[in-house]
Amino acid sequence: MGLKQNLHKLKEKYKGTKFEQSFGALHTFLYLPNITTHSGSHVRDAADLKRVMNTVIMAMIPVLIFGMFNAGYQHNLAINGVADFLSIDNFIIGLKKILPMLIVSYGVGLGIEFILQQ
């Protein structure tokens, strides 16, 4: 049985409890929701909030890669006094500096979002 079916069973199991929103949020985060807007003054197109946020994340990837190069470059420049910008050493050092901050910030952000969902 796949993850989607297990999440759906958990969502149905906890329906009507205080954990219903958490399983619903996790299911919506991982998969496209089945509920759509049918009335009101909403714009009806294929772009929902999840797709828009995925576009934002994709647009930030080049910025993240540049930030990793720049962090490594600044580190090498401070230590050695001279450094080439486009070197694999700059990227590896920047990756070691940026990746832990990225993981912590995403983890805390998602954790707060799930806590506030309750």
Side-chain angles (χ1 to χ4, degrees), residues 7 21-33 50-51 53-54 57 106 109-110 113-114:
L7 276 175
Q21 288 83 15
S22 294
F23 286 110
L26 182 63
H27 190 270
T28 302
F29 176 73
L30 295 175
Y31 303 104
L32 190 65
K50 183 177 178 180
R51 289 186 181 143
M53 292 312 293
N54 283 337
I57 290 170
Y106 281 6
L110 284 173
E113 195 168 322
F114 279 120

Side-chain angles (χ1 to χ4, degrees), residues 30-68:
L30 295 175
Y31 303 104
L32 190 65
N34 296 330
I35 303 166
T36 58
T37 306
H38 297 290
S39 63
S41 60
H42 296 83
V43 175
R44 287 164 179 75
D45 63 353
D48 58 350
L49 184 61
K50 183 177 178 180
R51 289 186 181 143
V52 170
M53 292 312 293
N54 283 337
T55 305
V56 169
I57 290 170
M58 295 296 282
M60 292 299 289
I61 288 175
V63 176
L64 177 65
I65 292 170
F66 175 77
M68 288 179 188

Side-chain angles (χ1 to χ4, degrees), residues 103-116:
I103 291 170
V104 168
S105 66
Y106 281 6
V108 169
L110 284 173
I112 289 173
E113 195 168 322
F114 279 120
I115 289 170
L116 292 178

